[in-house]
Amino acid sequence: MINKEKIEELMSINGQVKDVVFQTDADYILKKYGEEGLAKLEKKAEELNIPINYKEANSLKLCPIGLRVLSLLLMRDVFGLSDSEIREIGYSAPATSFVVKLLMRFLSSFSRLAKEVPNYWKNHYTIGSLESVYLNEKTKDLIVHLKDFKVDPILCIYFEGYFRRIYEFAVGFGNGECKETKCMFKGAPYHEYVFRTRK
Amino acid sequence: MFSEHANNLEKKDTLNESILELEAYIKDFWRFLPLPVYYFNPMHIALDATRAAEDFSGYSEAEIIGRDLSKIFAESEQTISSFKKEILEGKHTLKKKMIFLTKDKRRVPVNVFVSPRESLNGEFIGYFLAVFDISAFEKFQKELEEKISKRTKELEESRTALMNILEDVEESRREAEEERDKTVAIVANLTDGLFFFDKNDILAFINPQAEKIFNVKKEQLIGKDFLEIISRQELKPLLDALGQKIKKVFRKEITINENLTLELTTVFVSRKGEKIGSLLILHDVSREKLVERMKTEFVSIAAHQLRTPLSAIKWTLKMFLDGDLGELTKEQKEFAEKSYISNERMINLVNDLLDVSRIEEGRYLYKLTPARMERIIQAIINSLSRVAKRKGIVIDFVKKQKSFPQVKVDAEKIGLVIQNLIDNAVKYTPEKGKITVSLSKTGNNLKVEVADTGMGIPKDQQGRIFSKFFRGANALKTETVGSGLGLFIVKNIVEAHKGKIWFESEEGKGTTFFFTIPINPEKI
């Protein structure tokens, strides 16, 4: 449950993310629960004094990273979402993100994806870094490490979906799998995500 | 420093606004575009799709984004692989016909248009792919093809039917040709000579026999006019027989030379009542003529040979009957008289046969001299009146004019004509009957009539009355004596004088014979 302490804790974290995340969240809610669902979400945010404006989110503005986490927590609380659904929100986000589409235009090969991963992260987040640590062009296996980014475990689940979709821009829709194999919340020095194509 | 920072922030805000507006513009445009259009990155992964693409495919935007090109179409892996290769190699718009696969598994024929994109530094950064539903067109084309196929089939059937008709026509033509060849062969091998003139009297056909008869070649005659043809010396006999134009003749005798006699018959050929030409048929009667001549010669010789002994018998019997060889008993005299009468009949028959021979040899008329017909008639009546009187028959002589012109005749032969006619009338008229002989002048002719009140000639035998050796059935019953040559001789004598002879008869009532003799015959 979100409470005042949690809000304060999250809002105190340094770092920003592109405001567009609220737009992708809103798209998911609209598709799944309609306008009524979005209104319900906005009302809850208002009740908790969480300053998220879903309708005016844009691709270029930055917002506190804590606010991004709060949006996910709000959705989970309001709609009782499971981890799987949180992953689904992550999975659907790149498909509706203008910025992602712009970046993916240059994706000419699998190795290019690995190369673009750090840039991609920098374009969206002001804290942490994302690196490709393993790449197999033939099998399309990929391992990335997310470092210096210990915000909230819900993002670990969200990223499993989000990264998978990004990965699928290189291997094809529905063809990818992504699993967090190491997590800073479980004592690891970084988050490790392993990508494989579905056999 | 502060103002520079503020200035930079302001510039950044303006740029951000422009980018956002551009993003909104692009989104709006993609939503509006009524054509299914996709944007694929260089790895053939869909990054964008118009609302129309969502509607057309049945997939949502989220389901489309990230989809590989191969999942859009229902094409084989090899085709897609080749298509991807073409896209990557191509610099220009590519057009291809493919099968689009919708979410509900419908396979839609589409034309695919691909337009590659490059970044500012010339790097290939993906391509637009638009699909154009051609199912309606394909359906129309299929229907059109079916219609064309159906029509082609109909045309082929018509062609087959036409070919059958043509075959039938060809068959009929062949049959007609065969028939024609047969006819030509028959006509060519016909022993009669044939000329066929068309309706304009142009010679259209001549058979080999006609060529042979007149010693001409068809190449010289075909296509020429009748007059031109008969003007040729070889064909002069035709001119003599027909004159200047083709007229109807039946079995007209033509003598080509001593050994060749023909009978000419003309037939006007018509079809559906319209004259299409004239056929000249030349039948060779030379052999018949020869046989006839030989027969006549035989009869002539036989008659001559018979006449001498018959004359000797006649005079011997006469001497017996006159008592020059001594008196005969009554019985002997009766036998001698019967023999004398029979001998007389025999002499008459031989004379008749000789006359016939002479007639057929064309040497019957000797002495053409001016004569008075009424006197010839009167003399004959006088000579026969005794015989007629014995039967109680009266012979009247009616002269319808007061006077008659002289005629140039062989008086003896004309006398024979009148004698034969009156003799027949006496023979076949019962007792107490009447015979009327009339003489009249009609035009340039003298007309003689011999009318009796006799048995008449049966209707069915009237056509043969002037034939040699013919005697009416009723005549044979009542009068056994008679050669059947009398009327044949009569007719030949009259016609030799350019006259005509005919009769009217009713069985049981009587017969009237008529003949005419021209007063001034041109040539006898």
Side-chain angles (χ1 to χ4, degrees):
Chain A
M1 284 290 287
I2 302 170
N3 54 33
K4 198 178 171 189
E5 289 75 31
K6 182 69 177 175
I7 294 167
E8 283 174 0
E9 179 200 330
L10 288 169
M11 291 302 286
S12 65
I13 299 170
N14 271 332
Q16 291 177 308
V17 64
K18 282 272 168 65
D19 193 48
V20 73
V21 292
F22 302 123
Q23 185 195 317
T24 57
D25 287 351
D27 285 343
Y28 179 83
I29 296 301
L30 281 170
K31 275 180 190 164
K32 200 154 183 182
Y33 303 103
E35 289 286 347
E36 201 180 315
L38 186 62
K40 204 172 169 184
L41 189 66
E42 284 173 330
K43 190 181 172 193
K44 187 67 179 175
E46 198 181 335
E47 279 171 11
L48 294 169
N49 284 321
I50 298 170
I52 299 174
N53 190 341
Y54 287 102
K55 285 173 185 163
E56 287 185 12
N58 74 52
S59 314
L60 303 171
K61 260 169 60 181
L62 291 167
C63 69
I65 188 83
L67 214 52
R68 198 284 158 272
V69 176
L70 282 168
S71 175
L72 291 171
L73 293 172
L74 264 176
M75 286 194 285
R76 188 170 65 182
D77 285 357
V78 170
F79 302 108
L81 300 178
S82 63
D83 285 355
S84 170
E85 284 166 315
I86 296 298
R87 264 186 219 101
E88 201 181 310
I89 295 168
Y91 186 75
S92 66
T96 54
S97 166
F98 182 68
V99 176
V100 172
K101 285 177 193 172
L102 277 176
L103 287 168
M104 291 302 115
R105 275 167 166 74
F106 294 91
L107 198 61
S108 56
S109 65
F110 185 68
S111 56
R112 180 78 181 255
L113 175 68
K115 192 180 163 189
E116 290 294 331
V117 161
N119 293 332
Y120 168 76
W121 186 261
K122 277 181 194 168
N123 265 316
H124 282 77
Y125 295 89
T126 59
I127 57 164
S129 64
L130 191 67
E131 295 172 17
S132 301
V133 294
Y134 177 78
L135 166 80
N136 187 324
E137 185 77 51
K138 196 175 173 187
T139 60
K140 306 282 190 279
D141 287 346
L142 176 69
I143 300 173
V144 298
H145 287 171
L146 177 58
K147 294 177 177 172
D148 306 322
F149 192 84
K150 192 178 180 186
V151 180
D152 189 273
I154 198 166
L155 281 178
C156 299
I157 302 164
Y158 174 84
F159 282 144
E160 277 186 339
Y162 190 92
F163 289 158
R164 180 187 154 204
R165 190 64 184 266
I166 298 291
Y167 176 68
E168 285 183 356
F169 277 116
V171 297
F173 179 74
N175 291 338
E177 283 179 357
C178 176
K179 182 121 184 106
E180 187 188 39
T181 51
K182 290 177 183 172
C183 180
M184 288 180 78
F185 291 105
K186 291 175 184 169
Y190 44 80
H191 301 276
E192 182 180 79
Y193 290 91
V194 174
F195 299 86
R196 285 197 179 90
T197 53
R198 288 191 173 179
K199 302 301 177 197
Chain B
M1 184 79 177
F2 178 76
S3 80
E4 191 185 340
H5 179 67
N7 202 22
N8 283 342
L9 280 175
E10 195 179 334
K11 276 185 183 170
K12 195 178 175 186
D13 284 347
T14 309
L15 183 64
N16 282 350
E17 273 177 27
S18 299
I19 291 171
L20 288 172
E21 276 177 16
L22 180 64
E23 181 189 349
Y25 170 80
I26 291 168
K27 276 188 176 173
D28 287 346
F29 182 72
W30 278 79
R31 272 194 210 102
F32 155 74
L33 207 62
L35 188 70
V37 178
Y38 297 81
Y39 185 85
F40 287 90
N41 71 10
M43 295 184 76
H44 310 287
I45 302 296
L47 296 181
D48 242 329
T50 59
R51 179 69 55 79
E54 290 180 58
D55 295 341
F56 184 59
S57 66
Y59 288 108
S60 67
E61 185 188 19
E63 287 168 321
I64 292 170
I65 306 305
R67 188 169 283 269
D68 189 88
L69 177 71
S70 60
K71 308 292 180 194
I72 307 286
F73 299 103
E75 298 285 355
S76 69
E77 206 172 300
Q78 194 181 358
T79 305
I80 291 293
S81 174
S82 160
F83 184 48
K84 283 178 176 177
K85 202 175 164 192
E86 273 184 87
I87 292 168
L88 295 177
E89 285 171 356
K91 291 279 181 192
H92 305 289
T93 302
L94 179 71
K95 182 188 170 189
K96 200 173 179 73
K97 190 175 160 187
M98 298 178 86
I99 301 297
F100 189 89
L101 187 65
T102 64
K103 190 175 183 179
D104 57 5
K105 308 292 179 199
R106 278 187 304 115
R107 297 158 72 91
V108 185
V110 291
N111 272 337
V112 178
F113 299 86
V114 173
S115 179
R117 287 201 69 230
E118 288 179 349
S119 66
L120 291 173
N121 55 14
E123 187 187 1
F124 175 67
I125 55 166
Y127 53 91
F128 289 109
L129 183 144
V131 293
F132 184 73
D133 182 0
I134 55 167
S135 54
F137 172 74
E138 292 261 294
K139 191 182 166 198
F140 171 75
Q141 195 176 19
K142 196 179 170 190
E143 283 172 359
L144 190 66
E145 278 169 5
E146 280 171 1
K147 274 183 191 169
I148 289 170
S149 172
K150 192 180 165 195
R151 187 77 188 117
T152 305
K153 198 180 166 193
E154 284 172 3
L155 285 171
E156 275 176 1
E157 283 170 359
S158 300
R159 190 183 71 93
T160 306
L162 192 63
M163 288 303 289
N164 287 339
I165 291 168
L166 285 175
E167 275 174 20
D168 290 347
V169 169
E170 178 61 20
E171 181 66 24
S172 302
R173 190 187 65 77
R174 207 162 39 239
E175 282 174 7
E177 271 184 4
E178 275 175 20
E179 280 303 313
R180 190 200 63 190
D181 291 347
K182 261 191 241 169
T183 308
V184 168
I186 290 167
V187 169
N189 290 294
L190 206 63
T191 51
D192 286 357
L194 293 178
F195 288 84
F196 180 73
F197 290 89
D198 68 13
K199 61 182 179 184
N200 299 314
D201 289 347
I202 303 294
L203 185 68
F205 177 79
I206 174 173
N207 76 341
Q209 189 61 19
E211 289 181 274
K212 194 175 163 190
I213 290 168
F214 294 104
N215 193 25
V216 289
K217 294 281 173 200
K218 64 179 178 185
E219 293 78 12
Q220 302 167 328
L221 306 177
I222 298 285
K224 291 187 175 165
D225 176 63
F226 172 73
L227 268 178
E228 191 183 342
I229 286 171
I230 59 166
S231 302
R232 296 174 70 98
Q233 187 57 38
E234 306 97 306
L235 294 158
K236 193 169 175 297
L238 285 179
L239 177 66
D240 295 339
L242 292 170
Q244 299 288 315
K245 64 175 193 175
I246 303 170
K247 63 184 178 196
K248 206 155 194 174
V249 294
F250 180 67
R251 301 183 71 172
K252 185 164 188 174
E253 229 170 72
I254 300 176
T255 303
I256 304 295
N257 55 47
E258 196 182 333
N259 299 316
L260 183 59
T261 305
L262 305 168
E263 272 181 1
L264 170 65
T265 301
T266 57
V267 178
F268 293 132
V269 184
S270 58
R271 188 187 294 155
K272 292 177 183 171
E274 190 189 346
K275 183 187 168 188
I276 59 166
S278 312
L279 190 63
L280 271 57
I281 305 164
L282 293 147
H283 182 60
D284 185 353
V285 291
S286 306
R287 182 174 165 72
E288 288 91 327
K289 280 278 153 191
L290 179 66
V291 171
E292 201 177 323
R293 194 160 62 240
M294 287 167 72
K295 195 173 72 186
T296 304
E297 281 171 9
F298 167 75
V299 171
S300 177
I301 290 165
H304 274 292
Q305 293 299 318
L306 283 170
R307 204 157 71 157
T308 308
L310 286 171
S311 294
I313 292 167
K314 176 181 174 170
W315 294 120
T316 302
L317 287 170
K318 181 75 175 158
M319 284 168 75
F320 275 122
L321 288 170
D322 289 349
D324 294 344
L325 299 174
E327 280 300 312
L328 298 177
T329 63
K330 191 183 174 186
E331 193 179 6
Q332 286 171 332
K333 197 174 181 179
E334 280 174 7
F335 276 110
E337 277 175 350
K338 281 180 183 172
S339 297
Y340 184 83
I341 291 164
S342 295
N343 191 59
E344 276 298 297
R345 281 183 193 150
M346 188 70 84
I347 289 167
N348 287 337
L349 175 61
V350 167
N351 285 336
D352 282 352
L353 285 172
L354 280 170
D355 285 342
V356 169
S357 297
R358 288 190 198 108
I359 287 164
E360 289 179 340
E361 285 167 7
R363 52 181 183 85
Y364 194 53
L365 300 179
Y366 303 109
K367 297 168 270 182
L368 291 174
T369 51
R372 293 205 172 271
M373 187 62 84
E374 64 271 30
R375 287 184 189 169
I376 298 171
I377 294 169
Q378 190 60 63
I380 300 299
I381 289 172
N382 292 343
S383 70
L384 292 172
S385 56
R386 257 182 66 210
V387 183
K389 206 175 268 179
R390 277 209 290 267
K391 283 183 81 178
I393 295 168
V394 178
I395 302 175
D396 280 345
F397 181 28
V398 180
K399 286 174 259 182
K400 295 188 177 175
Q401 272 88 25
K402 278 188 177 174
S403 65
F404 296 95
Q406 283 191 325
V407 282
K408 200 174 179 184
V409 294
D410 183 328
E412 186 191 331
K413 298 294 182 296
I414 290 296
L416 189 60
V417 169
I418 295 160
Q419 184 182 340
N420 265 324
L421 292 176
I422 297 173
D423 193 37
N424 278 348
V426 172
K427 272 183 195 168
Y428 302 118
T429 299
E431 289 182 0
K432 310 288 183 195
K434 188 180 177 186
I435 296 168
T436 307
V437 181
S438 308
L439 178 63
S440 59
K441 180 175 174 287
T442 56
N444 198 32
N445 292 298
L446 287 185
K447 185 167 91 175
V448 178
E449 295 175 37
V450 178
D452 64 45
T453 55
M455 64 179 69
I457 304 161
K459 205 94 180 160
D460 61 332
Q461 295 177 355
Q462 290 183 1
R464 292 189 289 156
I465 204 73
F466 293 112
S467 302
K468 267 187 287 188
F469 303 110
F470 178 78
R471 296 190 69 208
N474 51 352
L476 276 170
K477 281 179 194 165
T478 52
E479 181 65 50
T480 52
V481 179
S483 64
L485 293 168
L487 288 175
F488 174 78
I489 293 166
V490 162
K491 184 173 186 282
N492 276 279
I493 292 169
V494 170
E495 287 179 352
H497 283 87
K498 299 285 179 192
K500 286 181 183 171
I501 184 163
W502 70 98
F503 67 91
E504 289 169 0
S505 181
E506 195 173 342
E507 200 174 357
K509 286 193 174 177
T511 304
T512 304
F513 276 90
F514 306 85
F515 74 89
T516 58
I517 295 294
I519 295 165
N520 297 308
E522 289 170 11
K523 188 182 175 185
I524 295 177

